[in-house]
Amino acid sequence: MRIRFAAPAVLAAAALVGLAASPSQAAAHKSGVHLGLVQFDSPGKDTRSNASLNGEWVNIHNSSKSPVQLKGYKLKDDNGYTYTFGSYRIGAGKTVKVRTGKGRNVSGTVYWNRGAYVWNNTGDKARLLTPKGALRDSCSWKTTKNGQKNCH
């Protein structure tokens, strides 16, 4: 008879443990402005052509329910190369792609306007800093077959 009474108590305790784990899982999911997918190794041969340079990029995602002004935000690598956002408003739930090469900024894509690669294929770390210099997010990688890192 004790087993019949113990089973509901054990199930209730397990449910409470599951509920207690949920906030930590939710905290692990990044909210607000954060790094998304990084294409650190441009597909194909590294030719330093503008097309090859633009094959290297970082997605920055806004998972909040409000738009965010990115003016003054910085994207940096381990060597100190820095892209500073001008006036750019990223909508709620939207993504902006920062391409390494040259191009004309449009909605959803901005260009670093560099003539050389930024992200090291053998390992690097992307950092997203607020206008005041606080670390908002970071993502590091070692080389992988497809040259991508999902930072979500």
Side-chain angles (χ1 to χ4, degrees):
M1 214 168 207
R2 282 190 196 186
I3 293 173
R4 285 187 193 165
F5 292 114
V10 169
L11 290 174
L16 287 174
V17 169
L19 288 174
S22 295
S24 64
Q25 289 171 343
H29 177 71
K30 297 177 183 177
S31 63
V33 178
H34 62 271
L35 298 169
L37 188 64
V38 177
Q39 179 70 48
F40 59 84
D41 186 3
S42 180
K45 191 173 182 176
D46 288 348
T47 62
R48 280 185 100 154
S49 69
N50 195 51
S52 181
L53 291 168
N54 281 327
E56 182 182 83
W57 45 262
V58 175
N59 279 346
I60 297 173
H61 185 70
N62 177 10
S63 63
S64 75
K65 294 180 180 182
S66 302
V68 175
Q69 176 55 252
L70 294 178
K71 185 175 185 175
Y73 272 75
K74 295 179 183 340
L75 179 63
K76 295 180 93 167
D77 80 331
D78 268 348
N79 292 317
Y81 295 119
T82 304
Y83 174 82
T84 303
F85 276 90
S87 183
Y88 188 92
R89 184 176 172 256
I90 183 171
K94 300 294 183 183
T95 299
V96 61
K97 183 172 288 189
V98 180
R99 293 188 178 271
T100 299
K102 296 176 179 159
R104 190 172 79 73
N105 293 347
V106 294
S107 179
T109 306
V110 296
Y111 294 85
W112 204 316
N113 290 317
R114 289 186 46 84
Y117 299 99
V118 172
W119 309 107
N120 295 321
N121 297 348
T122 55
D124 209 338
K125 185 174 187 177
R127 292 172 186 83
L128 182 62
L129 305 164
T130 68
K132 293 183 179 181
L135 181 64
R136 180 70 185 104
D137 195 14
S138 68
C139 180
S140 60
W141 58 87
K142 299 288 182 204
T143 190
T144 63
K145 283 185 180 180
N146 64 0
Q148 291 183 347
K149 170 69 179 194
N150 188 345
C151 303
H152 283 285

